[in-house]
Amino acid sequence: MNDAIKPGPEIPSQAAGLPQLSVVVPTFNERDNVTVLYRRLDATLKDVAWEVIFVDDNSPDGTWDVVRGLARLDPRVRCIRRIGRRGLSGACIEGILASSAPYAAVIDADLQHDEAQLPQMLALLQSGKAELVVGSRYIEGYRAEGFNKSRAGASAFATEIARRALKVEIADPMSGFFMIRRDRFEQLAPQLSTQGFKILLDLVATAHGKLRTVEIPYTFGARQHGESKLDSMVALDFVGLVLAKLTHDVISLRFLLFAMVGALGLVVHLAALFIALEVFRAPFPEAQATGAIVAMTSNFILNNFLTYRDQRLKGFAIVRGLLLFYLVCGVGLLANVGVAFSVYDQEPIWWLAGAAGALMGVVWNYAMSGLFVWRKR
């Protein structure tokens, strides 16, 4: 047996009945950390009936295989291997909904969260003092061993935006370490976004202050193996989530990202049109067609990389998807012009007609792209 999947020398028997606590761990390329985390949970929760659910996004390093090895040795370990889906928020939602305990904790696999706080968090929930307990970085008693200054600054800035824009009252809505009553989570789950990284912010904003919350300090440890999954995409996810919540979820995070890419595509279109006219001296119809094709191509690439990165097309599927995207956007252009003309005929205000047409175009392109280009696999 591979040393990576060997638990401790002794495996305690499963407590009678259902577990009281389900620990949900979203993973991606955390092969070297999952066994260490399992052992820490085993030591920390020795007086608690618990289970751990690793939700792995089909890690190339075989994290899911290590977890399955642990599961064969200890029935308290479970593995959900997701194919064709990506994202921390979605993984947390699936893991909690698949849990069997009345309380669920979310903890990162990178060993930076302090699992020693789990018994205290569970006690607060069981006593009825809280429905949600958050491991907070912004209250007295918190210590950091592995939080660099740039990441800390970005997190503090995002926290301030979230608190002001969404009227979130807790000190650390950006935390990735929390525990919640599963019944309360299930009530909120249908309104949560499966995209992005900030599941706690989504939870608190969706609850509108109706989740009784307690925050506790903890020690943020240094990452031992692997690399952080946070990158520039997280910032866009965050902005999209805030805007979605400000519209009371009328507009989804994915639609906002699609629209942002579309706005950038307009800039690309105009730039390509200018170059074709001024540099290559092309006639306007050919220049306009060139601008449209360049813009649609850039929009497809950005949407595949950003908006639909959890369903990203690869290999030959990229060619097929691009051709379908051209077709979808071509029909969307007709819808755009048709609506704009209709509005202008009723009310000859050019900017109103143009905006109505553009909105119709982006709604059509978004709906049809989801149906035909980036279909759920």
Side-chain angles (χ1 to χ4, degrees), residues 15-349:
L18 294 174
Q20 285 296 300
L21 174 64
S22 296
V23 181
V24 175
V25 187
T27 60
F28 185 73
N29 287 345
E30 298 285 2
R31 178 185 181 90
D32 295 327
N33 290 333
V34 291
T35 299
V36 178
L37 178 60
Y38 161 78
R39 289 173 178 166
R40 289 185 180 183
L41 292 174
D42 189 28
T44 298
L45 300 173
K46 57 182 180 297
D47 297 322
V48 177
W50 61 279
E51 66 176 356
V52 58
I53 303 172
F54 292 94
V55 186
D56 186 72
D57 287 354
N58 198 29
S59 296
D61 75 347
T63 299
W64 48 271
D65 193 40
V66 176
V67 174
R68 283 181 180 170
L70 289 170
R72 285 193 291 269
L73 298 171
D74 188 340
R76 296 174 301 179
V77 180
R78 296 165 60 191
C79 177
I80 298 176
R81 181 184 178 188
R82 306 200 307 168
I83 305 294
R85 303 192 301 286
R86 288 284 299 273
L88 186 144
S89 290
C92 292
I93 291 170
E94 289 190 39
I96 294 176
L97 294 180
S99 66
S100 54
Y103 308 102
V106 170
I107 188 170
D108 285 352
D110 58 14
L111 309 178
Q112 292 185 290
H113 292 155
D114 186 3
E115 73 287 338
Q117 301 302 318
L118 291 174
Q120 178 189 353
M121 298 167 83
L122 179 61
L124 286 167
L125 294 181
Q126 289 177 323
S127 69
K129 293 180 180 178
E131 297 171 317
L132 170 68
V133 182
V134 177
S136 178
R137 296 163 293 178
Y138 301 116
I139 61 175
E140 186 177 355
Y142 168 75
R143 293 194 306 116
E145 296 174 354
F147 209 44
N148 62 53
K149 290 183 178 180
S150 61
R151 184 175 168 187
S155 179
F157 178 68
T159 295
E160 190 62 24
I161 291 177
R163 294 182 66 186
R164 289 179 181 273
L166 302 179
K167 309 300 181 185
V168 171
E169 298 298 328
I170 68 174
D172 191 4
M174 310 299 286
S175 176
F177 180 35
F178 62 90
M179 188 183 295
I180 189 171
R181 278 176 40 179
R182 188 165 60 90
D183 60 341
R184 294 292 282 121
F185 182 87
E186 288 183 345
Q187 293 169 0
L188 298 169
Q191 303 170 62
L192 301 177
S193 171
T194 58
Q195 287 186 278
F197 283 74
K198 298 307 176 185
I199 179 67
L200 178 62
L201 173 61
D202 197 0
L203 262 174
V204 176
T206 300
H208 301 296
K210 296 179 181 178
L211 263 181
R212 193 163 59 255
T213 304
V214 173
E215 294 183 81
I216 64 170
Y218 71 102
T219 299
F220 190 88
R223 171 179 275 275
Q224 295 188 16
H225 305 286
E227 298 179 356
S228 173
K229 309 303 181 295
L230 300 180
D231 55 27
S232 57
M233 296 299 102
V234 177
L236 289 173
D237 280 337
F238 170 73
V239 172
L241 178 60
V242 171
L243 291 175
K245 291 304 172 184
L246 285 174
T247 62
H248 301 287
D249 295 309
V250 172
I251 300 175
S252 72
L253 191 158
R254 197 188 295 275
F255 177 77
L256 286 166
L257 291 175
F258 191 91
M260 289 167 60
V261 169
L264 182 60
L266 176 60
V267 176
V268 172
H269 182 125
L270 294 176
L273 175 61
F274 177 82
I275 293 171
L277 288 172
E278 300 299 323
V279 177
F280 294 98
R281 302 297 179 183
F284 183 81
E286 286 84 343
Q288 176 71 350
T290 299
I293 292 173
V294 171
M296 285 190 289
T297 304
S298 69
N299 282 6
F300 173 81
I301 293 170
L302 286 174
N303 279 315
N304 194 51
F305 178 73
L306 172 62
T307 311
Y308 294 95
R309 67 183 180 277
D310 57 328
Q311 299 164 229
R312 189 172 295 165
L313 302 177
K314 299 178 180 179
F316 180 75
I318 293 178
V319 178
R320 175 182 175 276
L322 179 59
L323 294 176
L324 284 172
F325 191 72
Y326 285 155
L327 179 61
V328 163
C329 291
V331 177
L333 179 60
L334 294 177
N336 180 332
V337 173
V339 169
F341 181 80
S342 177
V343 171
Y344 191 79
D345 190 50
Q346 298 294 321
E347 192 70 41
I349 302 174

